[in-house]
């Protein structure tokens, strides 16, 4: 099993450009998440999905959109990139039998630089 | 907004030393998790503590959940270079709330 994979690994954008980050998981997990990680701020939740066809906003959703058309894929879109979106983006997935003991499995991350 | 503050933010020590990392919040969590993240990779779950006062050991790592379920600590005995990484605590509410992180460097 590959677990959680993310593409691309690294990308440079100019302000105003758009892009889509792809996350794929092969563990048949219902829940999927997109986080961004910035120095000194830990991981912040952007959007999440509790199942195919569903999405919800997290802590920092502005400037991002998501789609979960297939259970195994979760896409994160930036319609008009801004320098403030320079960050490392992590996707995670989980099977939630108990919220208290949920284990999230993370991908390797995508480094995005917006100039 | 629930916040989890970790201290220290950075820690640089010699192999064989002991260390403790703290994770504090004003909020109560149903459980608390600790993750380790190595450069270029995503976080990996180390442990989940559920009960107030609970202590869990993972080889040289000891995790404790505060009695009031608002804070936690991670103690590493006889640190090794392989312990180097970013340690993140995460409080479990309806979603995971991540701490600010502690970057540990262990020199041989």
């Amino acid at each position: 099993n590959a677990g959680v994979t993310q593409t691309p690994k690294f990308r440079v954008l100019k302000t105003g450009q758009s892009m889509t980050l792809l996350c794929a998981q092969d563990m048949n997990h219902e829940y999927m998440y997109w986080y961004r990680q910035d120095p000194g701020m830990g991981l912040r939740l952007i959007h999440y999905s509790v199942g195919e066809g569903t999405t919800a906003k997290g802590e920092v959703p502005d400037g991002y959109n998501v789609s979960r058309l297939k259970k195994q894929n979760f896409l994160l879109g930036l319609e008009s990139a801004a320098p403030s979106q320079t960050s490392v983006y992590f996707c995670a997935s989980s099977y939630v039998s108990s919220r208290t003991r949920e284990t999230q499995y993370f991908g390797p991350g995508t480094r995005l630089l917006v100039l | 907004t629930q916040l989890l503050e970790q201290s220290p933010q950075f820690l640089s020590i010699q192999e064989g030393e002991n260390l403790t990392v703290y994770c504090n919040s004003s909020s109560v969590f149903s459980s608390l998790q600790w993750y380790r993240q190595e450069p270029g990779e995503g976080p990996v779950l180390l442990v989940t503590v559920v009960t107030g006062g609970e202590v869990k050991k993972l080889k040289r790592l000891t995790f404790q959940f505060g009695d009031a379920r608002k804070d936690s600590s991670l103690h590493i005995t006889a640190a090794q270079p392989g312990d180097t990484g970013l340690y993140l605590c995460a409080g479990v509410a309806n979603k995971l709330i991540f701490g600010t992180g502690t970057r540990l460097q262990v020199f041989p």
Side-chain angles (χ1 to χ4, degrees), chain A residues 35 37 40 42-43 45 48 90 99-104 106-108, chain B residues 31 33 37 40 42-43 45 50 86 88 92-96 98-99:
Chain A
Y35 293 90
Q37 185 174 39
L43 286 125
L45 183 65
Y48 64 101
F90 287 97
R99 177 60 71 185
T100 300
R101 296 184 182 278
E102 176 188 2
T103 298
Q104 293 192 11
F106 286 82
Chain B
S31 62
Q33 299 181 334
Q37 182 179 12
L45 180 67
V50 179
L86 178 67
L88 295 161
V92 180
N94 55 345
K95 291 180 284 296
L96 280 186
F98 280 88

Side-chain angles (χ1 to χ4, degrees), chain A residues 38-91:
Chain A
D38 302 292
M41 301 187 76
L43 286 125
R44 292 182 292 168
L45 183 65
I46 304 172
H47 285 280
Y48 64 101
S49 168
V50 299
E52 182 178 321
T54 73
T55 63
K57 293 181 180 181
E59 181 186 355
V60 288
D62 294 342
Y64 305 95
N65 56 75
V66 287
S67 64
R68 183 101 181 265
L69 299 179
K70 293 183 178 181
K71 186 177 182 179
Q72 63 268 34
N73 295 337
F74 195 28
L75 279 63
L76 177 70
L78 285 73
E79 291 185 348
S80 180
S84 61
Q85 294 178 303
T86 292
S87 187
V88 182
Y89 292 85
F90 287 97
C91 176

